[in-house]
Amino acid sequence: MKLIMPIVIILVIASGPVTEFLFRFQDPVKIQNTLSLFRVMIPYAILAGAGAVLMGALHVRGIFVVPALAPLLFSVGVIASILILSPSIGIYATAIGVGIGGVLQLLVQVPSFLKNGFSLVPYFRFDHRLRRILRGWGPAVLSALVFAVVQQVAMLIASSLGNRSTSAIGYAVVFFQLPLGVLSVSVVTAAFPKMASLAADGRIEEMRKYVADGMVTVVALLVPSALIYIFLAEDIIKALLEHGRFDRHATKMTASVLRGFAFGLPSVGLFTYLQRLCYALDYPGRALGASIAVGI
């Protein structure tokens, strides 16, 4: 949080040059809308950062159910905002939904966080503990940065295409993250402490069986989810989003993107699982290398 807050403040102040660099819109109306949406949505980074801190603390206590609900509530907040607010405020409904989803995924974890002896009082000292965390999380942060860059490149390319291209990607990502966060990430998160414990104890054969069982579980959960999106994407999006300005054309565009994402859903889940395995084995460099290879 000490790092996120200054970055968010800088991005809000420099939102004009940042959006001009990230997007290639020619229409002045699109440029203005992008700038306004960016300013509304960027504070979500603070909510996401705080939610991640609470999630990590609960994982340390062996609590996984509540943190697993957080991504689900984020998607619910975004989708509900689109359904309720889009007729009156149009594209800004999604931006508002991101903020609402961020608040929901943070608040749902607060009771368990406090119940387990943690405090919400901020700690602003830059001491050796923070430096140790930064050294340990460096590869993880860089791995996440790789995927953020890849996603931004996709948005940059989409911004130079036809109308609604970037919106189609954004909406599709929300649906894509739903099974990935609720099913795959939940399994991966619950499995990580066990994998780390087995690795620390040198019980390699037992860990191999445990890892294999976890991979089977991830595939068993995500393959049906992918098939549902491949065959029913248009029906799902029509039922949930086709209201107001979100017309039939927008439904078809978003469904097309979602189908493409769906083919990669099981592999993304497996990649996330194996990446956590690298961290359990204390091979963060391999996890980072894999992220770079996939991103390229």
Side-chain angles (χ1 to χ4, degrees):
M1 293 301 298
K2 299 174 185 176
L3 298 177
I4 293 176
M5 293 178 67
I7 292 174
V8 169
I9 293 173
I10 293 172
L11 288 175
V12 170
I13 295 174
S15 54
V18 170
T19 53
E20 289 179 6
F21 174 76
L22 294 177
F23 300 98
R24 294 293 184 268
F25 293 127
Q26 302 299 321
D27 187 345
V29 175
K30 284 187 177 182
I31 295 174
Q32 184 58 46
N33 286 337
T34 301
L35 179 60
S36 300
L37 289 170
F38 182 84
R39 288 172 175 166
V40 172
M41 294 177 66
I42 194 61
Y44 164 72
I46 297 176
L47 297 172
V53 171
L54 269 62
M55 185 179 296
L58 293 177
H59 289 166
V60 170
R61 300 294 195 198
I63 300 172
F64 300 104
V65 175
V66 173
L69 292 175
L72 174 62
L73 288 179
F74 172 78
S75 296
V76 169
V78 174
I79 294 173
S81 178
I82 293 171
L83 292 175
I84 297 171
L85 300 178
S86 59
S88 58
I89 62 176
I91 60 174
Y92 291 93
T94 304
I96 298 298
V98 168
I100 293 173
V103 171
L104 291 176
Q105 72 177 0
L106 176 62
L107 292 182
V108 72
Q109 301 179 86
V110 169
S112 294
F113 184 80
L114 296 176
K115 183 179 178 180
N116 280 271
F118 296 108
S119 173
L120 292 174
V121 178
Y123 181 81
F124 292 104
R125 293 179 58 187
F126 286 82
D127 54 20
H128 68 281
R129 288 174 291 183
L130 177 60
R131 291 192 293 271
R132 181 181 178 185
I133 290 173
L134 292 177
R135 286 196 299 268
W137 285 4
V141 172
L142 291 175
S143 296
L145 180 61
V146 169
F147 291 109
V149 170
V150 170
Q151 184 173 351
Q152 184 53 49
V153 169
M155 296 296 287
L156 181 62
I157 294 173
S159 68
S160 63
L161 301 176
N163 290 334
R164 304 183 181 182
S165 296
T166 55
S167 297
I169 292 178
Y171 289 127
V173 167
V174 172
F175 284 97
F176 177 81
Q177 289 177 337
L178 187 57
L180 189 66
V182 175
L183 302 177
S184 174
V185 173
S186 299
V187 172
V188 173
T189 301
F192 178 68
K194 179 69 172 179
M195 290 191 293
S197 177
L198 292 174
D201 293 340
R203 297 148 65 184
I204 302 301
E205 290 302 322
E206 186 177 348
M207 185 181 69
R208 286 175 178 171
K209 184 180 184 304
Y210 186 79
V211 170
D213 291 342
M215 293 175 66
V216 170
T217 301
V218 170
V219 171
L221 292 172
L222 293 185
V223 167
S225 302
L227 292 175
I228 290 173
Y229 279 158
I230 290 171
F231 292 106
L232 299 176
E234 193 166 327
D235 294 328
I236 294 172
I237 294 170
K238 178 181 178 180
L240 294 176
L241 300 182
E242 196 171 306
H243 304 279
R245 297 183 182 181
F246 199 101
D247 55 21
R248 188 64 176 167
H249 179 61
T251 296
K252 288 183 175 294
M253 288 185 66
T254 305
S256 178
V257 176
L258 181 58
R259 289 192 192 99
F261 284 173
F263 282 102
L265 186 57
S267 60
V268 171
L270 286 175
F271 177 82
T272 303
Y273 191 91
L274 294 175
Q275 192 176 42
R276 290 295 183 92
L277 174 61
C278 289
Y279 293 128
L281 293 170
D282 198 20
Y283 296 149
R286 294 186 183 182
L288 174 58
S291 299
I292 294 174
V294 170
I296 294 175

